[in-house]
Amino acid sequence: MKFTFSKSERLTHIKIIDSLFEKDSRVVEERFVYPFRVLYIRENTFEPGLEQPQILISVPKRRFNKAVDRNTLKRRIREAYRLNKPHFQVEGKAKLPDVLAFVYIGSTIEPSDKIHKKMAAILDKFTQANEAAS
């Protein structure tokens, strides 16, 4: 079990990012788990066959004007994902979506332990939903 977050796991493909945030898209699904809005695509048609999900983390400038605050939140979210993802990528668990975007919708900077708990809840919901559908 590796607790890494490599460059291949970062979402950088512009077309995929545009399709994630496109209005009324049929392939994009979303979930709300405060303080996150999670947008995801189950099957990536642009780059099929990826081993690990690619993620994007977004913290709006409108709510957090200071770059220091935005970077702190992004760092905490990335760390929470990095530490929680190996628990949901083991054999027997359902597969996570190919593309994930975590948009922070909270109005205050949440402590790290709360972000870790919510990230675990989000990933757990994905694996439960996949197991129920199978």
Side-chain angles (χ1 to χ4, degrees), residues 57-75:
I57 299 169
S58 175
V59 179
K61 192 174 184 179
R62 177 179 287 173
R63 290 208 172 101
F64 300 98
N65 294 329
K66 294 182 179 177
V68 173
D69 295 338
R70 291 192 304 273
N71 291 337
T72 299
L73 281 168
K74 286 191 264 187
R75 193 176 310 115

Side-chain angles (χ1 to χ4, degrees), residues 1-47:
M1 211 170 25
K2 285 191 173 185
F3 293 95
T4 60
F5 186 70
S6 62
K7 188 173 181 176
S8 64
E9 293 180 73
R10 298 171 196 260
L11 181 59
T12 56
H13 202 276
I14 300 294
K15 288 183 180 181
I16 299 173
I17 295 170
D18 288 343
S19 69
L20 264 176
F21 292 101
E22 185 179 305
K23 296 261 189 218
D24 299 327
S25 177
R26 294 179 191 270
V27 294
V28 177
E29 300 174 49
E30 70 180 322
R31 290 204 171 136
F32 289 95
V33 177
Y34 187 82
F36 297 109
R37 174 180 169 220
V38 183
L39 303 164
Y40 59 97
I41 300 174
R42 293 235 180 251
E43 297 294 324
N44 185 358
T45 57
F46 295 103
E47 296 177 30

Side-chain angles (χ1 to χ4, degrees), residues 73-110:
L73 281 168
K74 286 191 264 187
R75 193 176 310 115
R76 288 180 183 177
I77 295 166
R78 196 168 42 244
E79 183 72 0
Y81 177 77
R82 182 184 75 81
L83 292 174
N84 282 308
K85 77 166 179 179
H87 302 295
F88 299 99
Q89 291 183 329
V90 294
E91 291 292 323
K93 286 271 190 178
K95 184 178 178 253
L96 292 173
D98 285 348
V99 178
L100 291 158
F102 297 99
V103 181
Y104 190 84
I105 58 172
S107 57
T108 60
I109 299 175
E110 298 290 342

